[in-house]
Amino acid sequence: MPTDGPKNFNDVLPRGGFSGMFKVAGMPTELKVSYWIWLIGGLLALLGGLLGLFGSIVLFTLAPGIAVVVLLLVLIALVVAAAQIVFAMKMKEGKEWARLALTVVAGISLILSIVGGAMANGQSNNWFSFVISLIATVLMWLPNSQAWSKSVKGAV
């Protein structure tokens, strides 16, 4: 288990705020690619969640009962997307707990792909997102990425 876990809420927030989102100097290439995959994926998920939020509001006029369930699911998706962005930024700081959290996100993506494929008679479009998250996960656990994370531990 990671030994550098957050002790309080401020430990979770990215250092320097979100303005450092685009600074990747000094990171190995494979970790940069992983970071951008996670960051762009999280931003796209936020955008999709906002569209889902508007859709659920419209659904209230047609089927209020279903709209409540959809709204709750969209809100959960928005929280997960925001967390993914924060985890990616903490991974960039060399935090092992953030890499572990992103690995869990990739595992959840696998589960959603399997469930979605079973419910849609094998026609799930979530497999692409799982493969992309799998690539990002592998890249952030490669030896070069791990060595860099260990070297910046406490330095960033």
Side-chain angles (χ1 to χ4, degrees), residues 35-58:
Y35 171 72
W36 286 116
I37 289 171
W38 286 117
L39 184 67
I40 292 170
L43 291 172
L44 288 174
L46 275 178
L47 180 62
L50 290 175
L51 292 174
L53 189 63
F54 293 132
S56 65
I57 291 170
V58 170

Side-chain angles (χ1 to χ4, degrees), residues 19-156:
S19 62
M21 187 179 294
F22 302 106
K23 297 176 185 172
V24 293
M27 293 172 61
T29 302
E30 48 271 81
L31 202 55
K32 285 180 188 177
V33 171
S34 178
Y35 171 72
W36 286 116
I37 289 171
W38 286 117
L39 184 67
I40 292 170
L43 291 172
L44 288 174
L46 275 178
L47 180 62
L50 290 175
L51 292 174
L53 189 63
F54 293 132
S56 65
I57 291 170
V58 170
L59 190 59
F60 270 104
T61 61
L62 302 172
I66 296 172
V68 170
V69 174
V70 170
L71 180 62
L72 287 174
L73 292 173
V74 167
L75 291 175
I76 291 169
L78 283 168
V79 169
V80 170
Q84 179 176 325
I85 293 169
V86 171
F87 293 155
M89 292 184 71
K90 294 308 276 188
M91 176 203 48
K92 186 177 73 160
E93 295 176 12
K95 300 295 183 185
E96 191 174 337
W97 65 265
R99 288 190 301 159
L100 184 62
L102 288 169
T103 303
V104 170
V105 169
I108 291 170
S109 178
L110 171 62
I111 293 168
L112 291 174
S113 296
I114 292 169
V115 170
M119 295 177 94
N121 296 327
Q123 298 176 345
S124 173
N125 62 354
N126 203 33
W127 286 106
F128 179 73
S129 65
F130 165 68
V131 170
I132 296 297
S133 65
L134 178 64
I135 291 168
T137 302
V138 169
L139 287 172
M140 71 181 177
W141 288 103
L142 288 175
N144 197 21
S145 297
Q146 286 193 36
W148 181 85
S149 293
K150 287 179 184 170
S151 71
V152 298
K153 194 177 278 191
V156 177

